Amino acid sequence: MAFETELSNIIHRTDDISAAVSAELVETVVVLPTIYTEDTTGGTNVKKFRKDGSLVAEAVAESAAYTFSANSELTQTSSTATATKIAVASKLTVEAEEWSETDISRLALKQGQAIARELDDQILALFSGFSTSVTATTILTVDDVLDSVFNVHNGLAGGARQLVTMLEFKGANELKKEVMSSGASVFSQPGMTSLLGSAFVASNGIIGEIPGTLCFSTVGHPTGSGDDIALTYNPDNAMAGLVSPGVRTQVAWKGSEGGYWEVYSWIFADFVEWNDEGGIGLRSDT
């Protein structure tokens, strides 16, 4: 064959672009809204999160003098947070700005999302520091979660607050499978557990409730001795965060360096364990 009119001889579009864009496959920000935070408006990047002390009354015999001791001394302790910079920078060339859908505002949005994910990761890293844990025999069970709820309250750190259990996806899956396969009539009663909702996990990370705690699921948990380390905690007192009021972004033109915009976003933050009794680790097979 010869003299065919071939595609390669015709000027044509070589690439088409889909109408839909897949979202980036990264974790949703889940943990940060579930802990206590304060901002950095005090004129320093250091803040002491105070822990109040208590007094102990004791029986005193008739006509006996009161003996002063540590029981009568009121003291406070604290956990100190020191906010440090968390930042991300990107370059946007004039060509990309001219002939693509990416612009400075889109880069700034993506940078803010990246910073928020890093804040979540820093809080998750605290989970391994709590001194008391419930260790599953192998995989995580509802009993393990209930034991962790009990331990928070037994340490007098629960109060009347609904606790939070921040699970990894494997632990969440094991709980759902247990409830699904269990023949216990309690799981068929409305309100006893909502772990078998229509979605595996909601957009805000919630997977359902177990009596006494609202369960979330995300990724990035610490590990130790072959176990994932989740945490059941009182959101009011287990951990505390010092976070500047918002992400700031600066844009600089770099013409002589190749013709691009430098987009730089940052925030100042730190997170600390506030009350050890307020958080109970949940260890289960990875």
Side-chain angles (χ1 to χ4, degrees):
M1 297 178 64
F3 307 111
E4 295 89 358
T5 300
E6 298 175 336
L7 178 63
S8 60
N9 295 326
I10 305 298
I11 304 301
H12 64 282
R13 179 185 296 179
T14 58
D15 295 303
D16 198 3
I17 298 176
S18 64
V21 180
S22 170
E24 64 271 35
L25 302 182
V26 295
E27 69 269 27
T28 302
V29 175
V30 173
V31 193
L32 180 60
T34 70
I35 73 165
Y36 179 81
T37 60
E38 293 187 5
D39 61 38
T40 57
T41 55
T44 175
N45 68 325
V46 179
K47 179 167 288 193
K48 292 183 178 296
F49 288 94
R50 298 175 294 166
K51 294 180 275 190
D52 211 357
S54 61
L55 300 176
V56 179
E58 51 194 308
V60 179
E62 183 179 1
S63 301
Y66 180 83
T67 302
F68 287 92
S69 67
N71 291 342
S72 57
E73 181 182 1
L74 182 63
T75 60
Q76 287 187 333
T77 58
S78 64
S79 295
T80 301
T82 303
T84 56
K85 182 172 58 184
I86 299 167
V88 57
S90 306
K91 297 177 180 180
L92 178 66
T93 66
V94 290
E95 290 84 358
E97 184 182 33
E98 183 75 18
W99 291 301
S100 81
E101 62 182 21
T102 299
D103 56 16
I104 291 172
S105 62
R106 185 164 183 261
L107 277 179
L109 174 63
K110 292 290 187 179
Q111 289 180 349
Q113 293 168 343
I115 288 171
R117 291 193 297 271
E118 172 62 19
L119 299 183
D120 254 25
D121 288 343
Q122 291 195 8
I123 302 168
L124 287 167
L126 297 176
F127 286 12
S128 59
F130 286 85
S131 62
T132 303
S133 294
V134 174
T135 301
T137 303
T138 52
I139 60 175
L140 193 67
T141 68
V142 172
D143 281 353
D144 296 325
V145 177
L146 289 173
D147 284 345
S148 70
V149 172
F150 159 76
N151 276 286
V152 172
H153 287 283
N154 195 48
L156 305 180
R161 190 73 157 87
Q162 183 183 45
L163 305 183
V164 166
T165 298
M166 192 63 63
L167 300 166
E168 76 292 348
F169 283 126
K170 184 177 187 300
N173 188 47
E174 298 300 344
L175 292 182
K176 289 174 179 286
K177 289 194 295 184
E178 180 190 1
V179 174
M180 180 70 75
S181 62
S182 174
S185 60
V186 64
F187 291 133
S188 66
Q189 298 177 17
M192 288 307 297
T193 178
S194 55
L195 292 174
L196 298 180
S198 58
F200 184 87
V201 59
S203 59
N204 58 1
I206 293 176
I207 65 165
E209 292 185 56
I210 290 174
T213 186
L214 182 61
C215 298
F216 293 76
S217 187
T218 186
V219 296
H221 291 64
T223 60
S225 302
D227 289 335
D228 289 322
I229 305 174
L231 192 73
T232 294
Y233 55 95
N234 186 329
D236 292 336
N237 63 27
M239 296 171 283
L242 176 61
V243 185
S244 54
V247 174
R248 295 182 61 188
T249 300
Q250 291 285 349
V251 180
W253 169 245
K254 302 288 185 177
S256 62
E257 297 179 19
Y260 64 86
W261 296 100
E262 181 181 281
V263 185
Y264 187 90
S265 297
W266 73 95
I267 200 170
F268 291 95
D270 190 27
F271 303 94
V272 294
E273 179 184 308
W274 196 3
N275 287 280
D276 187 65
E277 301 85 352
I280 302 295
L282 274 170
R283 294 175 175 262
S284 61
D285 287 356
T286 56

